Amino acid sequence: MSSTVEVGSQVEDFTLLDETGTARSLVELLADGPVVLFFYPAALTAGCTAEACHFRDLAAEFAEAGGRPVGVSGDSVDRQQEFAGRHTLGMPLLSDPDGKVRELFGVKRGFSLAPTKRVTFVIAQDRTVLEVVRSELRMNTHADRALAALRAHRG
């Protein structure tokens, strides 16, 4: 049951392991402010690395806008840890091996080399979606548009 999450949708809470093997729930991640949940096809691949590093490079701007980037893919905890470490990403990377959360957000593909669509959701503290960024090819557009949405939200 794949759902489509759009701007204005209310997303349900979920819990996944991060790159250190720690269980993280969406509600807990939202405690400090909005979350920018970016789904990516595969850790350590060129496009995903470019996308994640752009989020990393804008860390100060995200902090200033009150938002926090959190990555999600079907990669294992170990692979997420390698990804985070190799590029000093400094943000939670959640492991969704069975695709439950990807299905929840409607970004899971059937059997393919890229089992996850590259989609970013900006989620307010009340779990309302403020912005949805869908772009498979323009890696920087995810962080850039998410940041713009956070700034607009803060007013």
Side-chain angles (χ1 to χ4, degrees), residues 38 40 42-58 83 87 89 91 118 136-144:
F38 66 100
Y40 55 92
L44 300 166
T45 56
C48 299
T49 298
E51 180 184 8
C53 288
H54 191 56
F55 273 105
R56 175 200 67 199
D57 295 345
L58 292 173
F83 190 32
H87 300 288
L89 294 176
M91 66 189 81
R118 190 183 307 281
E136 293 291 338
L137 301 172
R138 296 183 49 212
M139 305 309 160
N140 288 359
T141 202
H142 290 269
D144 293 349

Side-chain angles (χ1 to χ4, degrees), residues 22-143:
T22 306
R24 307 288 284 264
S25 72
L26 178 61
V27 166
E28 173 206 330
L29 289 164
L30 286 165
D32 300 325
V35 163
V36 177
L37 205 60
F38 66 100
F39 289 88
Y40 55 92
L44 300 166
T45 56
C48 299
T49 298
E51 180 184 8
C53 288
H54 191 56
F55 273 105
R56 175 200 67 199
D57 295 345
L58 292 173
E61 285 92 332
F62 275 105
E64 200 178 293
R68 172 185 206 179
V70 177
V72 186
S73 73
D75 293 289
S76 66
V77 167
D78 290 348
R79 195 148 169 90
Q80 298 289 36
Q81 190 165 26
E82 186 185 344
F83 190 32
R86 188 179 293 183
H87 300 288
T88 327
L89 294 176
M91 66 189 81
L93 296 180
L94 307 180
S95 177
D96 182 32
D98 59 10
K100 262 198 210 81
V101 172
R102 284 172 292 150
E103 218 158 281
L104 189 68
F105 281 85
V107 300
K108 191 178 178 209
R109 283 201 183 98
F111 298 99
S112 80
L113 290 172
T116 308
K117 295 176 188 168
R118 190 183 307 281
V119 186
T120 297
F121 299 90
V122 181
I123 304 168
Q125 281 185 283
D126 64 0
R127 303 202 318 269
T128 301
V129 176
L130 301 172
E131 175 69 289
V132 180
V133 184
R134 301 175 195 277
S135 176
E136 293 291 338
L137 301 172
R138 296 183 49 212
M139 305 309 160
N140 288 359
T141 202
H142 290 269

Side-chain angles (χ1 to χ4, degrees), residues 2-19:
S2 190
S3 56
T4 308
V5 174
E6 298 297 346
V7 171
S9 297
Q10 193 87 15
V11 295
E12 54 188 274
D13 192 24
F14 62 81
T15 301
L16 289 174
L17 298 181
D18 70 9
E19 76 288 355

